[in-house]
Amino acid sequence: MSALAEVKKDWGKVQNFVNGEWVDSTTKNWLDVKNPATTGTIAKVPLSTKDEMNAAIEAAQEAWWAWRETPPVSRARLMFNLKHIMEREFENVARIISQEQGKTIDDARGETRRCVENIEVASSVTTLQMGYNLEDGAAANIDEEVIISPLGVFGAVCPFNFPGMVPFWFWPYAVATGNTFIVKPSEQVPLTTQYMFKMIEEAGFPPGVVNLVNGREDAVNALFEHKNVRGISFVGSTPVAKWIYKRAGETGKRVQAQGGAKNSLVVMPDAVMDKTVNNMLASFYGCAGQRCLAGSNLIGVGDVAEPLLKKFVEASKKLKVGYGLDESSNMGPVISEAAKKKVLGYIDLGVKEGAKLLLDGRNIKVPGYEKGYFVGPTVFDDVTPDMKIAKEEIFGPVVSFLRMKNLDEAIEFIHSSPFGNAASIYTQNGKWARDFRYRTQCGNIGINVGIVAAMAYFPFAGAKDSFFGSLHGQGQDAVSFYTDRKVVITRWF
């Protein structure tokens, strides 16, 4: 099947969007943006300077007072405008995600739908931001109330794996509640965000309310160093999340920092086998394994291990790897040459550690895309808990199969990990399901679900080395992060 048409083949130089205007960066440092399936350069992205980020922060601060005074219903109306524009541009957004990030068009369409859903939830700001009160709450004739107020300027430092969805976890809630915002996308995937900002501009948001600055270390440091930035939202690796958390403490800013993961999927002897295997494939191989909710360790409990492994390997072999814009592809490439080398290094390491390589994705060839950053589905057997491939985040389509005697042993193994993002169990037994949900110390728990992705009106959780900060993104928790509570006590004489 031929690939779908790209929105553009050459995007030229990526711009920043500051104070309602598209501006060229003055930096001398530019990076190539590559299509990971073809490895061809599709754009140039600037590594913007601290001065350029500071200009965006100052514009956002200048815009804040007027935006704060804008009635919530008026803010919600702009969200509705954007929602309609995004529906119109839905397919274009999905195709851009596939082109620059590599995921299949089905995955990209799912991500785009999540963007729209966050806008829909944020448009409910008139309900989400209501305070509360109590007559005679402090004493007789003294009433007490809580007013939820915006704080000022916020920023987000976003990852490469979800160029559309992750920024929409953050900025809509901050802006809907009366704050102003700066998005710093990953320098590897700036095109989705740029296209989104064309829609934000069309929707009619006032100048300075939502800003876009491309870059890397200098841009991020400027966010932390500027006194007018009230908080930072981040998604990325655990080492960077720890650094973000530390810098936020040093500079007195609110922070929510989502880190890495090493998620385990536990299959019990009573699992419905065919449905279980089909469900798990998307968890392990969706987005080429490059998401914080991806399955990494597959645990077969008791007698289920052998039939489970056989069916899983057979199903993995049938997956078609190819360009994401080819609608027949089941899995696309990883994001870059460096990412491919890292994943291949872990496969080599697994062999050295003594694991048995049942399915080897190292030498896969994709016709027409021979230079692409492809790694095929990879499955290891005979993996033991002490092996690095069972403990460290690989961030690629590599599955480590482990055998456990019972549920207690599986939960103990999950708890031995420094990560605590997600874990799932496949069972029809209510006791096993409840025990797993009750005892497993992870932020997201799945029962017969391999991708534990919260809807926009729920928070996205995380635990241990998978999350650092005070609150999580999305929904009511996001509103709490981007606003403050003012307590007002009134005496009536």
Side-chain angles (χ1 to χ4, degrees):
M1 182 180 291
S2 60
L4 297 169
E6 297 165 346
V7 177
K8 283 185 183 180
K9 290 189 177 296
D10 186 352
W11 292 81
K13 286 190 172 182
V14 176
Q15 293 180 296
N16 296 332
F17 186 75
V18 177
N19 204 25
E21 296 183 352
W22 290 99
V23 294
D24 294 322
S25 175
T26 60
T27 184
K28 295 180 180 179
N29 299 315
W30 294 75
L31 297 178
D32 290 340
V33 180
K34 293 183 178 292
N35 180 324
T38 67
T39 71
T41 298
I42 56 177
K44 299 276 188 180
V45 64
L47 300 184
S48 301
T49 65
K50 284 187 177 181
D51 288 343
E52 289 172 318
M53 178 59 85
N54 287 336
I57 296 168
E58 289 158 13
Q61 178 66 26
E62 181 69 22
W64 177 60
W65 277 104
W67 183 244
R68 177 187 178 180
E69 294 170 357
T70 302
V73 290
S74 298
R75 297 186 218 134
R77 192 169 297 123
L78 291 174
M79 293 292 171
F80 280 116
N81 290 349
L82 180 57
K83 182 258 196 298
H84 290 302
I85 296 168
M86 290 177 68
E87 294 286 9
R88 184 193 74 203
E89 300 294 327
F90 187 94
E91 181 66 12
N92 283 343
V93 173
R95 293 190 188 190
I96 296 167
I97 292 171
S98 286
Q99 181 188 16
E100 70 170 344
Q101 199 281 334
K103 64 181 63 176
T104 65
I105 189 64
D106 281 347
D107 273 354
R109 287 168 181 154
E111 178 178 351
T112 306
R113 179 53 56 195
R114 287 305 179 101
C115 296
V116 175
E117 288 168 354
N118 276 287
I119 288 293
E120 290 170 340
V121 175
S123 68
S124 303
V125 61
T126 49
T127 300
L128 293 173
Q129 204 178 354
M130 285 193 297
Y132 43 92
N133 58 68
L134 181 64
E135 291 181 341
D136 302 313
N141 296 319
I142 301 179
D143 301 336
E144 188 167 358
E145 64 180 316
V146 170
I147 299 173
I148 301 176
S149 301
L151 288 163
V153 181
F154 284 84
V157 180
C158 303
F160 76 82
N161 54 344
F162 286 90
M165 185 184 70
V166 169
F168 277 73
W169 277 357
F170 304 127
W171 81 260
Y173 301 100
V175 168
T177 52
N179 301 282
T180 53
F181 209 86
I182 299 159
V183 175
K184 204 296 290 180
S186 166
E187 64 276 10
Q188 296 184 89
V189 288
L191 303 179
T192 303
T193 308
Q194 180 150 73
Y195 199 83
M196 291 286 199
F197 265 77
K198 296 287 186 182
M199 293 185 280
I200 292 170
E201 180 183 26
E202 183 182 345
F205 287 87
V209 171
V210 198
N211 304 274
L212 163 64
V213 179
N214 294 282
R216 205 155 56 183
E217 289 91 348
D218 286 348
V220 174
N221 283 324
L223 282 171
F224 281 105
E225 293 167 5
H226 202 292
K227 62 182 178 62
N228 286 335
V229 176
R230 302 302 301 272
I232 306 289
S233 299
F234 169 81
V235 176
S237 69
T238 289
V240 179
K242 288 182 176 180
W243 179 87
I244 292 277
Y245 187 50
K246 180 175 181 291
R247 287 288 286 141
E250 293 170 346
T251 55
K253 302 185 189 308
R254 295 188 176 195
V255 63
Q256 46 186 358
Q258 187 76 33
K262 188 68 174 180
N263 306 317
S264 293
L265 276 59
V266 179
V267 181
M268 301 301 289
D270 69 331
V272 180
M273 189 62 65
D274 289 340
K275 290 184 177 180
T276 293
V277 170
N278 287 334
N279 185 263
M280 291 190 303
L281 290 175
S283 178
F284 285 106
Y285 301 126
C287 199
Q290 300 171 118
R291 56 184 171 205
C292 57
L293 290 176
S296 184
N297 292 323
L298 175 55
I299 300 174
V301 176
D303 294 339
V304 79
E306 294 305 327
L308 168 65
L309 180 59
K310 181 180 179 181
K311 282 184 174 290
F312 184 80
V313 172
E314 288 175 351
S316 299
K317 288 179 179 178
K318 295 177 182 178
L319 295 178
K320 179 183 175 182
V321 180
Y323 188 14
L325 286 176
D326 179 344
E327 291 188 285
S328 66
S329 295
N330 304 120
M331 190 176 79
V334 295
I335 186 64
S336 65
E337 183 178 6
K340 180 177 179 179
K341 287 181 178 178
K342 177 187 175 184
V343 175
L344 296 182
Y346 269 104
I347 298 174
D348 293 340
L349 176 61
V351 174
K352 291 178 181 177
E353 288 185 307
K356 185 178 180 181
L357 190 56
L358 298 184
L359 185 59
D360 188 350
R362 288 176 292 186
N363 298 312
I364 188 170
K365 301 295 182 185
V366 179
Y369 302 96
E370 288 78 10
K371 294 182 179 179
Y373 308 129
F374 293 98
V375 180
T378 299
V379 181
F380 278 106
D381 189 14
D382 296 337
V383 178
T384 57
D386 60 310
M387 291 181 181
K388 289 185 178 181
I389 60 169
K391 297 190 296 183
E392 298 181 3
E393 184 179 43
I394 298 174
F395 225 54
V398 180
V399 181
S400 296
F401 189 83
L402 298 95
R403 292 168 171 78
M404 302 285 174
K405 296 177 182 178
N406 50 47
L407 182 58
D408 289 342
E409 188 176 346
I411 293 175
E412 184 179 348
F413 168 73
I414 293 170
H415 287 170
S416 70
S417 172
F419 299 106
N421 204 35
S424 294
I425 186 171
Y426 291 86
T427 182
Q428 299 301 300
N429 183 299
K431 182 182 186 305
W432 283 340
R434 187 183 187 279
D435 282 354
F436 189 83
R437 183 189 69 182
Y438 187 83
R439 295 166 54 195
T440 304
Q441 297 173 9
C442 289
N444 306 279
I445 300 296
I447 299 173
N448 296 318
V449 174
I451 306 172
V452 198
M455 297 299 292
Y457 33 82
F458 278 87
F460 183 90
K464 298 189 284 186
D465 279 3
S466 293
F467 183 82
F468 303 87
S470 55
L471 289 166
H472 309 280
Q474 299 193 126
Q476 189 65 57
D477 266 9
V479 172
S480 299
F481 181 76
Y482 296 120
T483 59
D484 212 351
R485 267 68 175 154
K486 288 184 178 179
V487 177
V488 179
I489 301 177
T490 304
R491 178 189 295 275
W492 300 99
F493 291 103

